[in-house]
Amino acid sequence: MKYTIKKLAEMTGITTRTLRYYDDINLLKPSEVNENNYRIYDEKNVNKLQQILFYRSLNFPLQEIKKIMDDPNFSRIDALKQQQQLLLQEQEKIKTLLTNIDLTIKDYQGEIEMTDTEKFAAFKKTKISENETKYGAEIRQKYGSKTIEQSNQKYSKLSEVEFQQMQAVEKTLIEDLVALKKKPDLDSQLAQKIYQEHKQWLEYTWPSYTKEAHRGLVDMYISDARFGDYYNQKAQTPVVQLLHDVVYEYTK
C-alpha cells in the first residue's frame, strides 16, 4: 500500500507540514517522489513513522529519535519492547498520581487524615519514575543498581521540609551559575559556593558522597546532553560546562 503525503497525514493525525519537516531533517524520507513532485510513502515508511510517533508520545526529542533509528544495530522489535516498558512506567506514574488525588479528596472531606509526607509521596515517586525512564540505564551502569536503589529510597523518604530545602538549594544554585557565567572566575567565592550548593543538593539523595563520584556525574552532564540540558533549561542559558569546571576545580 502506498500513500501520498496528504493521505498519510490524514491516516496518522499529524500534519503534512510535520511530514515535510521529518523529510527535511532526514528522519523520515518518502520512498519516492513522483513526476508531479508528490512525496509517496510505502509500508516501510508507515512502520517507521509509527515508531517515531511512539517515541514522540514518550517525549523523546527528534534528535534523539533520529540517533536511535539511525543506529545500524536498531531493531524494531527491541524498540517496541522498550517503548512498551516505558509506557508501562508512565501508566504506573499516572496510577500513583490518581491514587494520591483520591486520598487527598478523602482528606479534604474528612474521611481520612493524610500526613504531610503522604501528600508529597506521589510527586517524589513520579520524579523517581521519570528519572528511571530518562537516565536509568546510564546511571545504573555507572554507579550500580544497589547505589541507585539506595538513592531512590533516600529521596522517597525526604520529609516535606527536606524536599522544600532541596528545591531551594537547586533554585539558588541555578541563580548563582547564571551570575558566575556573567563574570567567570573559578577562584571566586561564588564558584566555591556553587560547588558547595551542588554537593549539598546531591547529598539529599546520594547514600554517600565522594569527590570521584561528583566528578563522574558532571562528566556525564557533558558527554550526554540529556543530563546537561536539565541545567541549561533551568538557567535558560548554557551553564553545564561552567558547573563541570567548578566541580573539577573544587574536587582536586
Side-chain angles (χ1 to χ4, degrees):
M1 187 76 177
K2 293 189 175 183
Y3 303 90
T4 63
I5 190 170
K6 182 180 178 182
K7 289 291 186 183
L8 184 60
E10 290 174 351
M11 181 176 70
T12 59
I14 61 177
T15 65
T16 54
R17 181 180 179 181
T18 296
L19 289 170
R20 285 193 292 269
Y21 181 64
Y22 287 176
D23 183 4
D24 291 342
I25 64 173
N26 295 319
L27 179 61
L28 181 70
K29 304 293 290 184
S31 60
E32 61 181 283
V33 178
N34 67 17
E35 64 275 7
N36 295 319
N37 208 32
Y38 289 158
R39 293 172 174 86
I40 304 298
Y41 297 85
D42 61 15
E43 185 177 358
K44 186 177 179 181
N45 295 137
V46 171
N47 291 339
K48 186 172 183 180
L49 179 58
Q50 183 194 37
Q51 295 271 204
I52 292 168
L53 296 182
F54 275 138
Y55 279 121
R56 289 299 291 149
S57 70
L58 291 162
N59 297 316
F60 276 61
L62 290 176
Q63 184 179 4
E64 183 67 19
I65 297 172
K66 187 174 185 302
K67 181 180 176 182
I68 292 169
M69 301 190 75
D70 285 348
D71 189 322
N73 296 318
F74 176 79
S75 162
R76 186 165 181 247
I77 187 64
D78 288 344
L80 285 169
K81 288 179 179 178
Q82 180 202 37
Q83 290 160 346
Q84 182 185 49
Q85 288 303 311
L86 293 174
L87 286 168
L88 286 171
Q89 290 174 13
E90 285 292 307
Q91 183 184 52
E92 182 62 27
K93 182 174 73 175
I94 292 170
K95 181 181 176 182
T96 298
L97 289 172
L98 286 171
T99 299
N100 190 263
I101 288 172
D102 182 55
L103 293 173
T104 303
I105 290 171
K106 290 179 179 178
D107 178 61
Y108 275 116
Q109 292 175 339
E111 297 177 34
I112 62 170
E113 185 174 340
M114 291 181 75
T115 66
D116 289 338
T117 301
E118 288 172 335
K119 291 174 185 176
F120 288 89
F123 298 106
K124 288 184 286 187
K125 188 173 180 180
T126 297
K127 186 65 176 177
I128 290 171
S129 177
E130 288 175 352
N131 286 340
E132 286 285 355
T133 299
K134 291 180 181 178
Y135 319 119
E138 290 81 2
I139 59 175
R140 285 176 182 275
Q141 182 178 5
K142 190 172 185 66
Y143 297 106
S145 292
K146 182 179 178 181
T147 299
I148 301 307
E149 291 298 335
Q150 289 174 338
S151 177
N152 288 343
Q153 188 176 27
K154 187 174 181 181
Y155 179 73
S156 67
K157 289 183 177 180
L158 289 178
S159 68
E160 181 185 358
V161 172
E162 290 170 329
F163 186 69
Q164 291 174 346
Q165 288 172 343
M166 184 181 180
Q167 290 181 313
V169 169
E170 181 186 61
K171 183 175 182 292
T172 304
L173 168 67
I174 298 299
E175 291 171 351
D176 287 344
L177 278 168
V178 172
L180 184 64
K181 188 182 178 185
K182 293 176 182 177
K183 193 176 180 181
D185 182 1
L186 295 182
D187 294 324
S188 66
Q189 289 184 344
L190 181 58
Q192 187 173 5
K193 180 171 179 277
I194 287 170
Y195 162 69
Q196 292 295 340
E197 286 165 347
H198 196 240
K199 177 175 179 286
Q200 181 185 357
W201 185 72
L202 292 174
E203 287 177 329
Y204 278 104
T205 58
W206 278 18
S208 60
Y209 173 87
T210 67
K211 290 181 178 181
E212 292 78 10
H214 200 167
R215 281 190 169 207
L217 182 66
V218 294
D219 282 343
M220 194 179 291
Y221 291 170
I222 299 299
S223 63
D224 191 326
R226 292 174 302 160
F227 294 89
D229 284 349
Y230 176 82
Y231 293 92
N232 294 338
Q233 289 169 6
K234 287 275 186 180
Q236 297 183 330
T237 186
V239 294
V240 72
Q241 182 65 55
L242 183 60
L243 175 59
H244 174 276
D245 295 345
V246 165
V247 170
Y248 260 68
E249 177 67 23
Y250 291 95
T251 53
K252 288 180 180 177

